[in-house]
Amino acid sequence: LQDLPKNIEGVDAIETQIIDDGSSDRTVEVARRLGVNHIVRFTQNRGLAQAFKAGVDNALRQGADILVNTDGDNQYCGKDIPKLVKPILEGRADLVIGNRPIWNHQEFTFSKKILQTFGSSFLRFFSKTKVKDAASGFRAYGLNAMLKLNIHTQFSYCMETLVQLGLNNLRVE
């Protein structure tokens, strides 16, 4: 939370939201103590896709124009959020996906790097987009993209949302 930007040029207000997917740790307690604006809590684990869907639904209820999705283990760099939302603010994109340096990622095994590269190539073709890291969860969704999403899967929303938005001719960067 401390890594997240406090202001972004072109953004009137930044609010934080966490989705507690049935955790047994002190996620909610810590989030409240740190001043998180919105907490969505499941009493039992529902999976990544359902947690994401609940976050989108809540962001829309709160009147959000842009939703940035990141993770709780600092896999993505908060200081990159202004770069992530810039194409949406400039009206060039509806969805922006952060690109991790797959081949330099120390936590990925060689086989995972191969699968990530091949899988992203396949999804670029299938979704008619130019996304280099299709599995990246570091994403910014504009209002139009949030309104068009329809999550069906129980596990990962990343591929599903990319294909949906790409095939519906939304602008993806």
Side-chain angles (χ1 to χ4, degrees):
L1 288 168
Q2 293 172 348
D3 193 36
L4 301 176
K6 305 299 180 246
N7 53 51
I8 298 173
E9 186 176 332
V11 175
D12 295 332
I14 297 175
E15 296 183 12
T16 53
Q17 167 179 268
I18 64 139
I19 314 303
D20 178 5
D21 190 17
S23 69
S24 59
D25 59 14
R26 297 176 15 242
T27 296
V28 171
E29 174 190 332
V30 171
R32 284 189 180 123
R33 184 170 35 98
L34 293 175
V36 169
N37 302 99
H38 307 281
I39 299 171
V40 177
R41 186 173 193 196
F42 296 150
T43 56
Q44 61 186 24
N45 183 276
R46 294 189 187 174
L48 182 59
Q50 292 305 306
F52 172 75
K53 182 180 184 314
V56 171
D57 291 346
N58 190 60
L60 288 169
R61 274 193 303 277
Q62 302 302 325
D65 295 316
I66 299 173
L67 172 68
V68 173
N69 191 70
T70 188
D71 62 3
D73 63 3
N74 291 331
Q75 183 177 359
Y76 308 111
C77 187
K79 72 179 181 184
D80 288 334
I81 290 174
K83 291 188 267 184
L84 198 68
V85 301
K86 185 175 182 180
I88 294 171
L89 291 170
E90 292 177 347
R92 295 189 335 247
D94 299 298
L95 167 63
V96 181
I97 302 175
N99 181 26
R100 298 169 291 180
I102 300 297
W103 288 97
N104 296 331
H105 207 293
Q106 294 177 351
E107 295 174 11
F108 287 179
T109 63
F110 180 73
S111 59
K112 184 169 184 171
K113 291 174 185 181
I114 294 287
L115 290 171
Q116 288 277 6
T117 302
F118 175 75
S120 289
S121 296
F122 176 77
L123 278 161
R124 269 195 304 277
F125 173 78
F126 190 69
S127 66
K128 299 179 181 175
T129 65
K130 297 178 181 177
V131 172
K132 294 183 189 220
D133 186 2
S136 173
F138 191 44
R139 297 171 173 224
Y141 292 83
L143 181 59
N144 193 33
M146 286 189 282
L147 292 170
K148 301 254 189 226
L149 292 175
N150 191 9
I151 309 298
H152 297 284
T153 186
Q154 293 296 313
F155 178 65
S156 179
Y157 64 91
C158 291
M159 310 319 168
E160 184 176 4
T161 58
L162 176 60
V163 170
Q164 280 182 25
L165 298 179
L167 292 180
N168 281 305
N169 296 317
L170 271 76
R171 298 162 302 164
V172 179
E173 284 193 22

